[in-house]
Structures are given as C-alpha cells and as structure tokens.
C-alpha cells in the first residue's frame, strides 16, 4: 500500500533486529543496493550472488542458494521479455488507432486530439470545395441484389476506384454519403492558390474515370458523374466528442453543393465570375 501511494521519500522496508549483526549488515547493504533509485547503480545478479556468498560465507557447494539465484535471474529475464512483448503489442495497437484516426480526420487535427491539445475552429479566406454525385445511382442500386450492391462490385469497387484518384492530389476528402463525395483543397494545411488547380485536375480525372468504370454485373450500363466546384471562404472545425468529425461551414459549401445538385451528368459546374 505504501509503495502504491508513492511516498516521498520512497518507502523502503527495514530488516528486523538480529543478534548476528554482521550477517544482517551485509544483507541490508545488498537490499538497499537493489533498491537504489538509479537503475544503473543497481547490482546485477552476478554481483548479487557474489555479495550474498561473501556476506553469508556460503560456498559454491551450496546448490540451494545457487538454484534460487538462478531462478531469480531466469524470472527477471522472462519478465523483461514479457514486458518487451507487451510493449510492442501496445505500440502496434497504438499505431493502428492512429492510422484509423488519420483516416477520419486530417493528420494535423488528429495529432492535436491525440496529444490532448485543443482544436479550435479556424477561418480560411479561400479554399476550393468539390461536390460530386453519380447520376442515376439510386436506380442502379435498386436493380442490384443486396450482395451485388454491398460487396464487392458497385459501391465498394467504385469507391476504391475514386479513392485512388483522390489520393493523387493535394486534397482532403471531407465526407462520403453513398455515391456522393465532398472534397476540399487548401485546408487545414494551406497551399497558396494551388487549391483551385488541385480540385480542377481531380474533378477532370474523376469525371473521366467514372465514365470508364463498368459495373461487373451490368457492364452495358455506363456511369456519369455530376460535379460542382466553388472557391471562397469557409470555417472549419471538429464537431462531436465521441465520434469527432471535421466539418466545413459557410456559403462556399452551400454554393458548391447547389452547383452539383443542379448540374448535369459529365458536366463540371462552376460559377463564371
């Protein structure tokens, strides 16, 4: 209990009084050497064995003490191996958790949350927002079986197809709802005026990729992507505690969404300023 409460100075056990002062004195010295605050100054088992034999006068012919010390040394080695194994397992799980967090939130934001730092809302003067939707995807889904729709053909295959295109650009995928995508460039890491170019090139690549994509169970059906793009100011921040999400707010988001919803297939809708 005293050790658990971390007393200051640290709790150290004492030996009972004994008539054999020399014996107790030698063992007490060994005990306190082993309890040294600095691990580098603690004796190893070879030194402990020698000191115990010198203190007690027991020679190497006494196998009981030798066996006890060997067992203690083996236990310490096994304990070190176990600690190392558990530490590696903990680090592996920590890495997996961080990778999952990086998929949900931007890396810079996720690192702040991981370190316990506050993530305050930010205002960005100019970013570019992208919205897209597959034309007639609801009808295509209704013509597919649950197995075809869920795994592995249509949405999963298409999502992987689009993700590989998105990953090639300096953008952040904010959200996906079914076949609808919301992507932004220019935040949370600023990239000057490159955000317009990055989104425009990505939009062209996605439009062409979707046209080339074929549904395995309906190869004669071609897909068309409806896209809306708009640049302007937004506010961004983390919403939610249990399930945090990185959300964008502002008229720029609404405008890009309306451009997409009122657009046509194969058309990238923008506002001519």
């Amino acid at each position: 209990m005293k050790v658990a409460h971390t007393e200051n100075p640290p709790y150290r056990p004492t030996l009972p009084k004994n008539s054999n002062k020399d014996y107790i004195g030698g063992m007490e010295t060994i005990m306190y050497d082993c309890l040294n605050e600095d691990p580098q100054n603690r004796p190893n088992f070879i030194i402990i064995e020698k000191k115990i034999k010198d203190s007690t006068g027991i020679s190497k012919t006494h196998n009981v003490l030798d066996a006890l010390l060997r067992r203690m040394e083996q236990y310490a080695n096994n304990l070190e191996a176990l600690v190392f194994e558990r530490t590696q397992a903990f680090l592996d799980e920590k890495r997996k958790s961080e990778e999952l967090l990086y998929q949900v939130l931007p890396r810079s934001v996720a690192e702040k949350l991981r370190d316990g730092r506050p993530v305050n809302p930010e205002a960005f003067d100019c970013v570019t927002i992208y919205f897209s939707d597959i034309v007639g995807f609801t009808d295509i889904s209704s013509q597919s079986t649950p197995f075809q729709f869920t795994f592995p053909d249509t949405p999963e295959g298409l999502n992987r197809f689009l993700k590989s295109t998105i990953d090639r650009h300096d953008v952040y995928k904010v959200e996906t709802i079914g076949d609808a995508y919301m992507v932004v460039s220019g935040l949370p890491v600023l990239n000057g005026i490159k955000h317009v170019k990055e989104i425009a090139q990505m939009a062209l690549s996605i439009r062409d990729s979707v046209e080339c994509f074929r549904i395995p169970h309906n190869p004669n059906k071609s897909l068309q992507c409806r896209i809306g793009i708009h640049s302007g100011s937004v506010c961004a921040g983390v919403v939610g505690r249990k399930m945090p999400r990185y959300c964008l707010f502002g008229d720029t988001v609404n405008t890009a969404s309306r451009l997409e919803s009122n657009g046509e297939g194969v058309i990238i809708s923008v506002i001519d300023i």
Side-chain angles (χ1 to χ4, degrees):
M1 184 64 70
K2 292 182 179 180
V3 175
H5 289 165
T6 61
E7 295 181 348
N8 190 16
Y11 170 74
R12 293 292 182 261
T14 57
L15 292 175
K17 300 296 182 180
N18 192 290
S19 57
N20 192 341
K21 300 295 184 181
D22 294 335
Y23 177 82
I24 290 297
M27 295 299 293
E28 188 174 17
T29 301
I30 296 172
M31 182 182 72
Y32 281 109
D33 286 345
C34 294
L35 294 173
N36 194 297
E37 291 298 310
D38 186 358
Q40 299 297 327
N41 294 330
R42 296 172 190 166
N44 57 35
F45 277 97
I46 296 176
I47 297 176
I48 293 174
E49 180 181 5
K50 183 178 183 304
K51 286 187 175 182
I52 290 177
K53 289 180 178 179
D54 292 343
S55 175
T56 59
I58 299 176
S59 66
K60 292 185 178 180
T61 58
H62 291 73
N63 295 328
V64 175
L65 180 60
D66 289 341
L68 177 61
L69 291 173
R70 294 289 181 269
R71 184 169 296 182
M72 290 173 61
E73 184 176 6
Q74 183 181 8
Y75 174 77
N77 292 335
N78 292 340
L79 185 61
E80 289 180 2
L82 181 61
V83 169
F84 177 79
E85 181 182 346
R86 296 290 174 84
T87 302
Q88 290 300 118
F90 166 75
L91 293 176
D92 289 342
E93 291 300 321
K94 182 173 180 288
R95 177 181 52 79
K96 292 177 183 178
S97 299
E98 289 178 353
E99 289 177 356
L100 180 61
L101 189 61
Y102 294 150
Q103 294 179 14
V104 178
L105 299 170
R107 179 173 289 269
S108 59
V109 175
E111 288 175 350
K112 289 182 180 179
L113 290 176
R114 181 197 63 192
D115 298 338
R117 291 179 287 164
V119 182
N120 299 320
E122 295 182 87
F124 297 88
D125 293 333
C126 191
V127 301
T128 301
I129 307 289
Y130 163 100
F131 277 90
S132 69
D133 189 67
I134 304 298
V135 178
F137 193 77
T138 303
D139 294 335
I140 298 173
S141 302
S142 64
Q143 298 169 8
S144 306
T145 65
F147 182 82
Q148 290 173 330
F149 179 73
T150 305
F151 178 86
D153 293 341
T154 311
E156 191 63 22
L158 182 60
N159 285 340
R160 284 198 300 266
F161 202 62
L162 297 180
K163 184 179 183 301
S164 63
T165 303
I166 293 173
D167 289 343
R168 293 197 296 267
H169 297 84
D170 181 17
V171 299
Y172 171 68
K173 185 182 71 174
V174 181
E175 193 172 16
T176 58
I177 303 176
D179 60 310
Y181 274 72
M182 177 183 178
V183 183
V184 63
S185 181
L187 65 80
V189 179
L190 303 178
N191 58 3
I193 60 173
K194 287 178 57 180
H195 52 86
V196 178
K197 175 184 175 182
E198 292 292 333
I199 289 291
Q201 290 180 339
M202 183 197 71
L204 291 170
S205 298
I206 288 179
R207 184 193 64 179
D208 297 339
S209 298
V210 169
E211 284 190 273
C212 296
F213 184 81
R214 288 294 177 267
I215 304 172
H217 63 277
N218 190 4
N220 296 324
K221 179 67 176 179
S222 61
L223 300 179
Q224 293 182 343
C225 190
R226 190 171 55 231
I227 298 173
I229 296 174
H230 190 59
S231 297
S233 60
V234 298
C235 288
V238 176
V239 177
R241 292 181 178 272
K242 292 184 178 180
M243 294 289 291
R245 292 173 54 200
Y246 192 69
C247 298
L248 309 183
F249 304 92
D251 188 59
T252 303
V253 178
N254 299 331
T255 302
S257 178
R258 287 194 296 268
L259 285 170
E260 178 273 314
S261 59
N262 293 312
E264 299 178 5
V266 199
I267 299 296
I268 300 176
S269 301
V270 297
I271 292 180
D272 185 11
I273 300 178

